[in-house]
Amino acid sequence: MKICKTIKEMQAEVSKRDRNKTLGFVPTMGALHEGHLSLVRLSKSNCDLSAVSIYVNPSQFGPQEDFGRYPRNLERDLALLADNGADYVFLPDNEQMYPAGYKTWVEVEGLSSILCGNSRPGHFRGVATVVLKLVQIVKPDLMFMGMKDFQQVVVLETMLRDLNSDTQIFRCPIVRESDGLAMSSRNMYLSPEERAKALCLSQTLDMGRQMVASGKKRAEEVILAAEDKINAAGGKIDYISLVNGSTLQPQDMIDQDTRMLLAVYIGNTRLIDNCSLMQSD
Amino acid sequence: MKICKTIKEMQAEVSKRDRNKTLGFVPTMGALHEGHLSLVRLSKSNCDLSAVSIYVNPSQFGPQEDFGRYPRNLERDLALLADNGADYVFLPDNEQMYPAGYKTWVEVEGLSSILCGNSRPGHFRGVATVVLKLVQIVKPDLMFMGMKDFQQVVVLETMLRDLNSDTQIFRCPIVRESDGLAMSSRNMYLSPEERAKALCLSQTLDMGRQMVASGKKRAEEVILAAEDKINAAGGKIDYISLVNGSTLQPQDMIDQDTRMLLAVYIGNTRLIDNCSLMQSD
């Protein structure tokens, strides 16, 4: 496993590989869990070589957000990546990614200001910019992204398509704890009581799927029941939204393309989760 | 000379070439003149293969600007490019470049809102976005750009560096008519009387260089003399600015890095020109 700390090293490593070998890429912010490792394994089974980046990108955090205390555990992360067979690890610092005089930002209009973007202004601008930079450096054939951050996947797919990138996104299923909680580095913030409460996200999604399976088709009805369920569990709702999975626009009537997206505060920790209401993913 | 009208064709053409051959690229909006052709010749003498794009990019024109009447003469342009030995010509249309649902924009902060960006809001956002798209499609080693659009060169160099592109900009000298007028597709808009008046731009730059050569070092003194000269010729000043050539920030005292930048309306036609005040370019 080759570890690269500078852009130049990373570019040199990937460009000296056999050009016939396909390259998969998993961008992460570290604090790796089974969700991330599932992306690495999907990359390994779909590509000849796999690169992983670990970089806590400051430009996607708001001034009141958890950049400073975001979990970091590089030694453990590197051991997990070695165990899982990553070929390259890219560990840039802020000096590499945003040197003095840095000025360029990528905006995906419309998709970036709704849902999570509404509560986190500038978040998707930071995500789009750093991922474009990483893709330009690593030049992967496929980038593996988890659907837990569903809006992020749609924003980045749109960006890569609009900017004529050669890199395609491979959508990967959400990985859950045995009790249903979607894996997230931020789950570490939860106290034992909060950890129990946090189940309300996945349970609310399950309820939504059951309502649709039993014939409910009006989004409003599902949203009202979901609000009740989250409130009863003591979660604070940021948003509950039923949207078209391609456009992220709200839908009044539920169909094959409808996804249910949740953002809920459990204590001070903001968690997200989502699922398709009529399909298996 | 291979002519490609779709992104797919263009990508296929450049990717099937011998990988050891370097590729130069000249992005244009057509209405080609000797300035453009000098870029093609510089590309040919510095690279193994040369691509030229012709695309009048709507997103860099303001609603009150000359997008509709911008000169177009494709047949003549293609003949000139064939004569000058271009290997590939890329002729995308709006459907190719900005398909339905297009949402992604690139912003180079700070550099895009000053000088020409102040009079043309959104102009450099459109330029940065379309050039990034073209660079992603063509993947040139070098992109040849004329220094007449000096701010554009600085904006695009910053963008390519910030976004970790493999493409470098090759700065090319301004090409002038025999009487000094900088070549521009917009010179076609000038009536014979306006064509005569338009000489005030290059003559004002010459005066600035002479003032500095004779020992003047205060920017204000040069700017005041320049204003008098443009006004006397009947030009309407958009801006006259003495800036650092790297940062585009105004300078009070003239030094090796100072550039004089002009934007002047001659009748309804907005012309730009620039030069270094103490160096040969």
Side-chain angles (χ1 to χ4, degrees):
Chain A
M1 188 172 79
K2 197 89 198 174
I3 296 177
C4 303
K5 297 192 173 186
T6 67
I7 292 169
K8 279 216 165 100
E9 281 175 79
M10 188 68 210
Q11 287 170 325
E13 280 301 324
V14 295
S15 75
K16 82 184 182 202
R17 80 177 193 277
D18 173 353
R19 286 298 177 117
N20 294 317
K21 294 203 169 177
T22 57
L23 179 62
F25 176 48
V26 181
T28 83
M29 300 209 300
L32 302 181
H33 51 63
E34 266 305 307
H36 299 109
L37 300 177
S38 76
L39 306 179
V40 177
R41 290 189 292 263
L42 280 166
S43 175
K44 282 189 68 70
S45 58
N46 286 279
C47 297
D48 300 320
L49 292 164
S50 294
V52 179
S53 65
I54 299 179
Y55 178 57
V56 185
N57 171 39
S59 74
Q60 71 190 68
F61 289 82
Q64 309 304 323
E65 292 184 358
D66 58 345
F67 175 69
R69 64 184 190 111
Y70 193 85
R72 290 159 172 90
N73 196 337
L74 184 57
E75 226 168 293
R76 183 170 176 277
D77 288 348
L78 291 176
L80 288 169
L81 292 176
D83 285 352
N84 282 273
D87 299 290
Y88 310 100
V89 182
F90 183 38
L91 301 175
D93 61 13
N94 294 339
E95 204 43 58
Q96 286 287 310
M97 293 300 277
Y98 301 107
Y102 188 90
K103 291 183 170 63
T104 307
W105 300 97
V106 181
E107 190 84 53
V108 182
E109 288 193 339
L111 296 179
S112 291
S113 53
I114 56 176
L115 302 167
C116 286
N118 186 45
S119 343
R120 307 186 68 186
H123 171 65
F124 287 113
R125 191 180 91 136
V127 169
T129 302
V130 80
V131 170
L132 182 61
K133 285 170 63 66
L134 291 169
V135 163
Q136 300 268 101
I137 295 162
V138 176
K139 300 190 193 69
D141 300 287
L142 291 174
M143 177 160 63
F144 293 80
M145 310 216 82
M147 294 218 286
K148 186 181 74 83
D149 301 285
F150 187 80
Q151 185 179 6
Q152 172 173 279
V153 171
V154 175
V155 167
L156 294 175
E157 283 173 345
T158 303
M159 174 187 80
L160 293 175
R161 183 201 67 205
D162 283 355
L163 296 181
N164 308 103
S165 173
D166 290 337
T167 299
Q168 305 261 340
I169 289 181
F170 189 110
R171 293 180 170 204
C172 305
I174 298 175
V175 178
R176 299 180 179 280
E177 304 287 354
S178 57
D179 61 2
L181 180 68
M183 290 200 186
S184 163
S185 303
R186 290 190 169 98
N187 292 348
M188 292 187 203
Y189 297 153
L190 301 171
S191 70
E193 305 85 75
E194 288 170 343
R195 174 66 182 75
K197 279 187 191 176
L199 280 184
C200 71
L201 281 87
S202 58
Q203 287 172 353
T204 299
L205 295 177
D206 287 343
M207 183 193 68
R209 292 173 67 92
Q210 283 158 21
M211 287 177 74
V212 174
S214 74
K216 312 282 191 199
K217 289 280 141 63
R218 289 182 42 241
E220 194 187 359
E221 206 170 347
V222 174
I223 290 172
L224 286 173
E227 287 174 351
D228 285 348
K229 194 166 179 73
I230 302 282
N231 288 332
K236 188 170 150 275
I237 296 165
D238 180 12
Y239 64 78
I240 299 175
S241 203
L242 270 60
V243 302
N244 177 290
S246 303
T247 65
L248 301 183
Q249 292 306 301
Q251 292 189 305
D252 291 332
M253 296 304 293
I254 295 160
D255 63 26
Q256 288 289 332
D257 301 322
T258 307
R259 256 187 124 78
M260 182 165 182
L261 275 57
L262 305 177
V264 174
Y265 285 92
I266 304 295
N268 292 318
T269 302
R270 186 174 175 280
L271 300 177
I272 58 175
D273 202 348
N274 72 90
C275 71
S276 170
L277 286 179
M278 292 181 74
Q279 298 185 51
S280 59
D281 67 344
Chain B
M1 189 171 80
K2 197 89 198 175
I3 296 176
C4 303
K5 297 193 171 185
T6 68
I7 292 169
K8 279 215 165 100
E9 281 175 81
M10 188 67 208
Q11 287 170 325
E13 279 302 324
V14 295
S15 74
K16 81 183 183 203
R17 80 180 193 274
D18 174 354
R19 285 296 178 119
N20 293 317
K21 294 204 169 175
T22 57
L23 179 62
F25 176 47
V26 181
T28 82
M29 300 208 299
L32 302 181
H33 51 63
E34 266 305 307
H36 298 110
L37 300 177
S38 76
L39 306 180
V40 177
R41 290 190 292 262
L42 280 166
S43 176
K44 282 189 69 69
S45 58
N46 285 279
C47 296
D48 300 319
L49 292 165
S50 295
V52 179
S53 65
I54 299 178
Y55 177 57
V56 186
N57 171 40
S59 74
Q60 70 190 69
F61 288 81
Q64 308 303 324
E65 292 183 1
D66 57 346
F67 174 69
R69 65 184 189 111
Y70 193 86
R72 290 159 172 91
N73 196 338
L74 184 58
E75 225 169 295
R76 183 169 176 276
D77 289 346
L78 291 176
L80 288 168
L81 292 177
D83 284 352
N84 282 273
D87 300 289
Y88 309 100
V89 183
F90 183 37
L91 302 175
D93 61 14
N94 294 339
E95 204 43 57
Q96 286 286 310
M97 294 300 276
Y98 301 108
Y102 189 91
K103 290 182 171 61
T104 306
W105 300 97
V106 181
E107 190 84 53
V108 182
E109 289 193 339
L111 297 179
S112 293
S113 51
I114 56 177
L115 303 166
C116 286
N118 185 47
S119 342
R120 306 186 68 187
H123 171 66
F124 287 112
R125 190 180 91 136
V127 169
T129 302
V130 80
V131 170
L132 181 61
K133 285 170 63 67
L134 291 168
V135 162
Q136 300 269 102
I137 295 163
V138 177
K139 301 189 194 70
D141 300 287
L142 292 174
M143 177 162 62
F144 293 81
M145 309 215 81
M147 293 219 286
K148 186 180 72 84
D149 300 286
F150 187 79
Q151 183 178 7
Q152 172 173 279
V153 171
V154 175
V155 166
L156 294 176
E157 282 173 345
T158 303
M159 174 187 79
L160 293 175
R161 183 201 66 205
D162 284 355
L163 296 181
N164 308 104
S165 174
D166 291 337
T167 300
Q168 305 260 341
I169 289 181
F170 189 110
R171 292 180 172 206
C172 304
I174 298 174
V175 178
R176 298 180 179 282
E177 303 287 353
S178 57
D179 60 4
L181 180 67
M183 291 199 185
S184 165
S185 303
R186 289 191 171 97
N187 292 348
M188 292 188 204
Y189 297 153
L190 301 170
S191 69
E193 304 86 72
E194 289 170 342
R195 174 67 183 76
K197 281 188 189 175
L199 280 184
C200 70
L201 280 89
S202 59
Q203 287 172 352
T204 299
L205 295 177
D206 287 343
M207 182 192 69
R209 291 173 69 91
Q210 283 159 19
M211 287 177 75
V212 173
S214 73
K216 311 282 191 199
K217 288 281 140 58
R218 289 180 44 242
E220 195 187 357
E221 208 169 346
V222 175
I223 290 173
L224 286 172
E227 287 174 351
D228 286 348
K229 195 166 177 74
I230 301 283
N231 288 331
K236 187 168 151 276
I237 296 165
D238 181 12
Y239 65 77
I240 300 176
S241 203
L242 270 58
V243 300
N244 176 289
S246 302
T247 65
L248 301 184
Q249 291 306 301
Q251 292 189 305
D252 291 333
M253 296 303 293
I254 294 161
D255 63 26
Q256 289 288 330
D257 301 321
T258 308
R259 259 189 121 78
M260 183 165 182
L261 275 57
L262 306 178
V264 174
Y265 285 91
I266 303 295
N268 292 318
T269 303
R270 186 174 174 280
L271 299 177
I272 58 175
D273 202 349
N274 72 91
C275 70
S276 170
L277 286 179
M278 292 181 74
Q279 297 184 52
S280 59
D281 68 342

